């Protein structure tokens, strides 16, 4: 099966511009997560979708970040306007409904999008 | 609140030597522990996980980790490393058992293997 796919793999934008990151989860995975790693620090949780609904968005840094998952398939993460401190690697992950897997833990991560704001 | 501390940001090791990557965690409840690996230009891959049962967990590529509740540690070990083990390793914790729980990561340890 195809893994979690993220587009683009790299993006360089100027401060004040808008960037949209995309994540295509594994087909059938209801849970979709966004994480971010800034400047070699720890990878931090941003938000969690269950299908098209936001289950937990406690990690979103501010209102310049907007995540959507229309139709419960792929998700986008838009940063508008981008600031220098937004630079980092943005990871997406997906997992099945734990009831479908007997509760067995099963995240699959994408390769990430490296965002550089200059 | 949960947190994860990886004590070494970089670990250089000679090929075929043993290695231990240290991880300590803090949590007020029972936790589930993980080690992830990120090879150059790839995504995060699960190496191993501790959910319950035996405290010695074996993962892929010859890695293993031992859960020590009294010391709140989950150190990763490999008896003999290879060049292909060069990567960044992340320790992580989750309070939830299901796939719907978010993960808290450590800051990562870069393992570099010298020939």
């Amino acid at each position: 099966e195809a893994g979690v796919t993220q587009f683009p793999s790299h993006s360089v934008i100027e401060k004040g511009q808008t960037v949209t990151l995309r994540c295509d989860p594994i087909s059938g995975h209801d849970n979709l997560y966004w994480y971010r790693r800034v400047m070699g620090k720890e990878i931090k949780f941003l938000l969690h979708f269950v299908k098209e609904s936001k289950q937990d968005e406690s990690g979103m840094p501010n209102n310049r970040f907007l995540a959507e998952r229309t139709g419960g398939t792929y998700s986008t993460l838009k940063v508008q306007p981008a600031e220098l401190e937004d630079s980092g690697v943005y990871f997406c992950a997906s997992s099945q409904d734990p009831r479908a897997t007997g509760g067995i833990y099963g995240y699959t991560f994408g390769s990430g999008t490296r965002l550089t704001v200059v | 609140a949960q947190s994860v501390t990886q004590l070494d940001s970089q670990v250089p090791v000679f090929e075929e030597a043993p290695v231990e990557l240290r991880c300590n965690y803090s949590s007020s409840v029972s936790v589930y522990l993980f080690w992830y690996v990120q090879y150059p230009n790839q995504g995060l891959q699960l190496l191993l996980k501790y959910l319950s049962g035996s405290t010695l967990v074996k993962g892929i590529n010859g890695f293993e980790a031992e859960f020590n509740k009294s010391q709140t540690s989950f150190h990763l070990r490999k008896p003999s490393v290879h060049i292909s083990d060069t990567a960044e390793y992340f320790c992580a914790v989750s309070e939830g058992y299901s796939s719907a729980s978010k993960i808290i990561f450590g800051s990562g340890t870069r393992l570099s293997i010298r020939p």
Side-chain angles (χ1 to χ4, degrees):
Chain A
E1 76 183 349
V4 177
T5 308
Q6 292 188 245
F7 304 97
S9 58
H10 294 83
S11 180
V12 180
I13 62 171
E14 292 184 350
K15 176 182 172 181
Q17 287 187 321
T18 298
V19 63
T20 300
L21 313 181
R22 172 168 169 152
C23 169
D24 286 56
I26 292 174
S27 178
H29 280 196
D30 289 339
N31 294 289
L32 186 148
Y33 311 81
W34 284 97
Y35 286 80
R36 175 174 77 165
R37 188 180 192 205
V38 173
M39 290 295 289
K41 296 186 178 179
E42 65 271 24
I43 301 169
K44 286 195 170 181
F45 168 83
L46 294 178
L47 87 160
H48 169 207
F49 283 100
V50 177
K51 296 184 180 178
E52 67 273 11
S53 300
K54 293 176 184 174
Q55 181 77 10
D56 181 353
E57 50 184 332
S58 61
M60 295 288 266
N62 51 61
N63 59 11
R64 295 185 294 103
F65 289 75
L66 174 63
E68 295 181 320
R69 192 182 182 196
T70 306
T73 55
Y74 71 90
S75 174
T76 57
L77 179 65
K78 181 189 288 188
V79 185
Q80 178 182 29
E83 298 290 343
L84 299 179
E85 64 264 26
D86 301 331
S87 297
V89 181
Y90 290 76
F91 291 101
C92 175
S94 72
S95 69
Q96 287 179 293
D97 182 335
R99 290 168 295 182
T101 60
I104 300 301
Y105 207 100
Y107 263 51
T108 301
F109 279 88
S111 301
T113 294
R114 182 173 296 278
L115 174 64
T116 303
V117 183
V118 298
Chain B
Q2 295 171 307
S3 67
V4 177
T5 301
Q6 291 184 245
L7 298 167
D8 306 298
S9 60
Q10 296 188 63
V11 174
V13 183
F14 285 105
E15 192 172 16
E16 298 184 5
V19 70
E20 178 180 84
L21 305 184
R22 297 180 292 169
C23 172
N24 287 89
Y25 69 91
S26 66
S27 176
S28 57
V29 298
S30 296
V31 296
Y32 307 98
L33 296 156
F34 311 86
W35 276 97
Y36 282 85
V37 59
Q38 185 180 20
Y39 297 105
N41 301 315
Q42 295 187 29
L44 290 166
Q45 181 180 357
L46 181 65
L47 261 184
L48 49 80
K49 59 181 181 281
Y50 171 78
L51 301 180
S52 65
S54 173
T55 57
L56 183 63
V57 181
K58 293 189 182 299
I60 61 172
N61 301 339
F63 283 93
E64 63 180 34
E66 185 152 20
F67 170 58
N68 188 318
K69 188 174 181 179
S70 63
Q71 297 187 4
T72 61
S73 68
F74 191 56
H75 301 332
L76 181 70
R77 302 186 187 99
K78 186 170 182 177
S80 175
V81 297
H82 303 284
I83 293 287
S84 58
D85 293 322
T86 297
E88 192 158 16
Y89 294 78
F90 296 90
C91 183
V93 63
S94 171
E95 287 184 351
Y97 179 68
S98 77
S99 298
S101 305
K102 65 186 180 187
I103 303 175
I104 308 299
F105 287 90
S107 53
T109 297
R110 288 191 181 277
L111 177 63
S112 58
I113 312 298
R114 301 168 176 173

